[in-house]
Amino acid sequence: MEHFETHQGIEVVSGDEPPEHCDVLLLAVDQVEHEVLSTMRVWAEAERAPVVLMAKHLRGVDLMALVERHVMAVLPRAQVTAARLVHAVTTVAAGGAVMPSDVLGDLLRQMRRLHSEVLSPQGLGDSGLNTREVDVLRLVAEGLGTAEIAERLNFSERTVKLEMHRLTTRLNLRSRAHAVAYALRAGLL
């Protein structure tokens, strides 16, 4: 961690457990194995800090599992230099991501497979919502009531209520307002 000692604005805190609050977690491992993923899941639940992962071996890694655990940078250890490490940490701290092109390509292939094998057969888009749900949410966001939404979309009122119920139940949302807020944060509206 001597790479960071001379870099202004970076404070290094080391140990087996992440500190109570930090801007970026740096994890260096030989391989991303089940034990590492389990530890990262605990960290992700406790701390929402993004992770810079340095790994010796990345072949066959479930990159979607890494994304779920807040990994925003992947660095093959053999390619790590002081400048690359500082760049990755500062980029991630600023909200960006850093990945070699082959890792990014693997991630995009895994996402495409998720879309074609899981989401599409269920009638869901990349957001996890189907087109009906998005249409209903847009009209709810405009302030329309159930009857007005049903009329606009040529649905029955029961269908509108059912779509809202399915959506709020599946995503564990509490109300129409919560559903609209979710959709706004997800960039659907």
Side-chain angles (χ1 to χ4, degrees):
M1 297 301 101
E2 62 277 352
H3 304 305
F4 298 112
E5 290 175 3
T6 60
H7 196 278
Q8 192 172 5
I10 295 180
E11 176 187 352
V12 177
V13 180
S14 60
D16 292 336
E17 294 294 321
E20 225 172 275
H21 173 74
C22 63
D23 296 322
V24 176
L25 291 170
L26 174 61
L27 179 61
V29 297
D30 285 334
Q31 277 187 233
V32 181
E33 297 173 332
H34 177 72
E35 183 179 313
V36 171
L37 290 172
S38 295
T39 299
M40 290 175 71
R41 179 178 300 283
V42 171
W43 289 0
E45 290 170 0
E47 171 73 41
R48 303 303 270 171
V51 176
V52 172
L53 174 66
M54 288 190 322
K56 196 172 189 178
H57 303 287
L58 290 167
R59 288 251 183 256
V61 172
D62 180 359
L63 296 170
M64 296 298 283
L66 296 180
V67 170
E68 290 173 1
R69 288 157 178 84
H70 310 292
V71 172
M72 295 299 293
V74 176
L75 302 172
R77 274 181 121 164
Q79 299 173 9
V80 172
T81 64
R84 284 184 178 160
L85 189 55
V86 169
H87 170 73
V89 169
T90 56
T91 299
V92 168
V98 177
M99 291 187 191
S101 60
D102 62 326
V103 174
L104 181 58
D106 289 346
L107 176 61
L108 293 173
R109 280 187 285 285
Q110 287 181 20
M111 289 179 66
R112 188 172 51 238
R113 191 170 43 250
L114 173 69
H115 182 69
S116 66
E117 295 175 9
V118 178
L119 297 174
S120 288
Q122 299 296 318
L124 302 174
D126 294 329
S127 64
L129 303 179
N130 65 40
T131 54
R132 259 187 177 184
E133 292 168 336
V134 172
D135 290 342
V136 169
L137 275 175
R138 280 194 182 110
L139 296 175
V140 169
E142 290 178 18
L144 276 65
T146 302
E148 295 166 306
I149 294 170
E151 185 178 324
R152 280 249 189 116
L153 297 175
N154 291 322
F155 294 164
S156 69
E157 288 186 39
R158 182 176 177 174
T159 299
V160 172
K161 289 177 184 178
L162 182 62
E163 289 298 326
M164 282 304 300
H165 175 73
R166 285 181 184 157
L167 169 73
T168 55
T169 301
R170 188 176 71 243
L171 298 175
N172 199 26
L173 304 170
R174 293 183 300 271
S175 64
R176 284 179 169 217
H178 193 192
V180 169
Y182 170 86
L184 286 169
R185 282 192 300 273
L188 301 172
L189 303 177

